[in-house]
Structures are given as structure tokens and as C-alpha cells.
Amino acid sequence: MNDEIPNLTAFDEAALDEAFAQLERQARTASAAIGDEAAVEAFRLEWLGRKQGRLNEVSGRWLKAAPAEAKKLLGVRFNALKALVEQLLLTEILLDSDKDLATEAIDISLPGTRRLVGAEHPIIRTLNEIVSVFAALGYSVGVGPEVETDFYNFESMNFPPGHPARDTQDTLVVASQERRPQRDRLLMRTHTSPVQMRTMESQPPPVRIVIPGKVHRNDAADATHSPIFHQVEGLCVDTNITFSDLKGTLDHAMKALFGSAVKTRFFPSFFPFTEPSADVQISCIFCGGKGCRKCKNSGWIELLGCGMVDPAVFAFAAEKQPAYDPKKISGFAFGMGVERIAMMKYGVSEIGQFYAGDMRFLSQFA
Ligand SMILES: [Zn+2]
């Protein structure tokens, strides 16, 4: 490798200058040819390597062969050459690390990776809007399990045995419970009403709660039906609660949800857990009551059910909380379907679009 180191025959200053100048040129040429990290290391080994490095060779061969009077002259030149090689090496190391930095550099003028901002699902948004209307009236939020017992879902809500709503056509029941008493059998709740009973059992009146949540029915999916949907139910119990409190509360709530021009009207209806019961219609939000396709030219849209809490329901609550004495307290309850309201508010014609997870649909609500 170091064959080019010639033996010196003359040790006068001119000969030494010439010999070292030649090595200096070789070192400069070699360092100028360095292209990458491996070449830097090769240069270091070739010139400064402890065993076969060229400088080691020079010091071994030339210094040993030099007569005593030339050793100093040679030593000075040797040290100068060594300092030069070290300087060249250091320069190359720095240049090489500059190259590394250049390839690792970040262009801070590039736009960043944009993350999608999450948004409320239209169902959850509608549900929260409904809840907030009642929260402003002093209602708190009640929640309960989606897997319920027959007692809370039906019996305590005054669905007598044999009531059509208990039919397995409508209710999804948990399998293999024939050995259990009927009231303990588990099912997917068909409405959020069981939370009314759970709330009354856990606290004496007064009660003002809204109950948002998911409910399950054995319904075939079509444009307006889904086996899983959402309800918001409300319950108000206190002394001297009357039907006019119910009307005033729901009229206010519908105006808060759909605008102050909306009117409400109440029709007699039937629910097992309320007596009397009513269906509530609001003036059509699309035509203002003149009549259009959406309201089937009636000017009204049916939106929710309500009524005064049936004394039989209070009697079930009184088994654990005697203060629910139907002779001393009264109350009203109401319930509405969140999907139906969201479909109206946002002009959605297929209920299934809410659950399909299609970003093209959902991003409209972001
Ligand atoms: Zn209309």
C-alpha cells in the first residue's frame, strides 16, 4: 500500500523539502478525492494508520536512516506534514457530517400533514341539542342499561302480561331464560322508559330528568326504521304537576328546537305508562303550516308522545320509595325519537345513512 514511500538518499534541506513537498501534494490530492464517509476512513487509515499508515512509514524509514545532524530538519518537516494531514482529515469529517445534516434536514416551509378534525355525529348532535333544551329547564340526565329486565322494561311501566308490545315480534330477548321468573328475564330495552323507574326507585320526588339513549326493536330496516335507534325520554314528578305544565314544557322545548314560530297541538293517544296520554304535533317546519308534501298537506307533523304518569307506575315506584304516593304527587313523561328529529332537521330521507359510516354523508355535518 505504501510502496510509494521512497527511500531517501540525501538528507540536505533541499532534498528534504522536495521529498516532503511531494508527500504534501499526495495528501492534498487524496483528500480532495474523498466522496463519502467510507473514503474519509480510508484516508485516515492510509495516512495516519498506526501500523501501515504512510506517516508511520515515513517516520520509520526516513527518521531511522537519517544521519544525526539531519534528524532535527526531518523532524520539523515531519511534524508539519502530520499537522497538515490531520487538518485535511478534520476538514473532510466536518464536510461529511454537513452532508448528513443536509440529507436529514426538514423543510419547514412544507405544509404539514393535515389531520381530520373530528365532529359530532348528527344523531349525537341532535340528541345533545334536545338534552340541552331540557337541561336549561333544570332537568338532569339519567342513564341506564341497554340490557334490561322484563320488570323494568315492561311490568313496572304498566305493560300488563300479554300486552302486544311484549310480543317477540317487537322485542329482542336474551335466549335460554325460561327457568327464570318472567320479571327477571333479560331483554334489549325497547324504550328508555325503564330509566324512569330506576330513577324513581333511587330518589324521592321531586324528579326532573331527561333520558337519552339507544333502544332496540325487532324491526326490519327500511327508509324510516332501524332495529337500533335513539330516544330521549323525560320525566317530571312533583306535587301539583298538571297537564298544562306538560303542554307548556313541550311547547317551549319544540320552539327551542325548531324555532319560535313553531306551534304545537296535542291529540288523545294511548301509552301504558301514562294516563291521559297524548301525541304531540308541531306545525310543519317546511311549509309553516300551509301544507306540503312533507306534512302530507296537513300542515302538521307528529313528533312525540307524552302524558301524565299513570298511577300504576307510581305504585311500582312506591314499593321502594313510599313518597311516590299517587294521591300526593303527580307527574308527566314524554319521549321522542332522535333519528326522526334529525332526519327532519337535516333533510335526511334514509335512516340507514346515519349508521353506514360513509364519510361523504357524515362530513356534511362536520
Ligand atoms: Zn308542510
Side-chain angles (χ1 to χ4, degrees), residues 52-274:
Q52 297 182 322
R54 303 189 71 164
L55 290 182
N56 192 47
E57 201 86 348
V58 167
S59 103
R61 282 206 247 158
W62 292 4
L63 217 52
K64 264 184 209 160
E69 70 276 11
K71 282 196 194 300
K72 194 182 171 194
L73 295 173
L74 203 148
V76 170
R77 286 163 177 77
F78 177 83
N79 286 337
L81 176 65
K82 189 178 178 196
L84 172 78
V85 169
E86 282 169 348
Q87 181 58 46
L88 289 171
L89 180 67
L90 185 64
T91 306
E92 289 306 323
I93 289 171
L94 290 176
L95 279 176
D96 194 63
S97 71
D98 277 355
K99 262 183 269 167
D100 285 350
L101 281 177
T103 56
E104 289 164 12
I106 299 164
D107 183 351
I108 56 166
S109 69
L110 277 173
T113 308
R114 190 168 296 204
R115 290 182 189 278
L116 288 175
V117 178
E120 273 182 329
H121 189 280
I123 293 297
I124 299 300
R125 182 193 289 184
T126 307
L127 191 146
N128 287 339
E129 278 177 34
I130 299 167
V131 167
S132 68
V133 165
F134 289 97
L137 294 172
Y139 284 66
S140 51
V141 174
V143 289
E146 284 177 47
V147 178
E148 260 300 0
T149 63
D150 185 277
F151 174 75
Y152 283 110
N153 195 74
F154 288 132
E155 189 177 342
S156 72
M157 286 291 113
N158 198 31
F159 285 78
H163 190 282
R166 288 171 170 244
D167 198 310
T168 49
Q169 293 294 311
D170 299 315
T171 307
L172 295 160
V173 300
V174 176
S176 306
Q177 301 184 88
E178 291 74 13
R179 287 191 187 168
R180 289 186 169 188
Q182 168 121 9
R183 58 157 55 188
D184 295 337
R185 291 182 194 170
L186 298 175
L187 46 83
M188 303 305 289
R189 69 177 181 192
T190 57
H191 49 186
T192 47
S193 311
V195 185
Q196 290 188 25
M197 185 54 59
R198 290 181 175 278
T199 305
M200 287 192 283
E201 283 185 349
S202 66
Q203 67 175 85
V207 166
R208 278 175 186 78
I209 51 161
V210 272
I211 305 151
K214 211 179 279 173
V215 301
H216 305 254
R217 295 198 190 164
N218 190 17
D219 275 343
D222 63 24
T224 55
H225 292 85
S226 160
I228 301 174
F229 57 100
H230 298 77
Q231 282 187 338
V232 175
E233 192 147 320
L235 174 69
C236 170
V237 182
D238 207 338
T239 49
N240 298 320
I241 298 289
T242 67
F243 200 91
S244 52
D245 294 316
L246 169 59
K247 286 187 76 172
T249 301
L250 291 183
D251 189 70
H252 167 83
M254 293 303 109
K255 285 177 163 60
L257 281 171
F258 296 104
S260 56
V262 160
K263 297 190 193 71
T264 53
R265 65 179 187 179
F266 291 68
F267 278 84
S269 185
F270 172 79
F271 302 106
F273 39 95
T274 48

Side-chain angles (χ1 to χ4, degrees), residues 284-296 299-301:
C284 179
I285 59 170
F286 303 103
C287 65
K290 289 191 194 79
C292 68
R293 199 171 55 83
K294 294 255 170 84
C295 60
K296 298 187 182 103
W300 296 89
I301 291 174

Side-chain angles (χ1 to χ4, degrees), residues 328-347:
K328 292 178 182 159
I329 49 111
S330 56
F332 62 76
F334 56 87
M336 59 195 99
V338 179
E339 276 80 353
R340 181 160 158 69
I341 292 175
M343 287 168 82
M344 268 181 56
K345 275 186 86 111
Y346 299 119

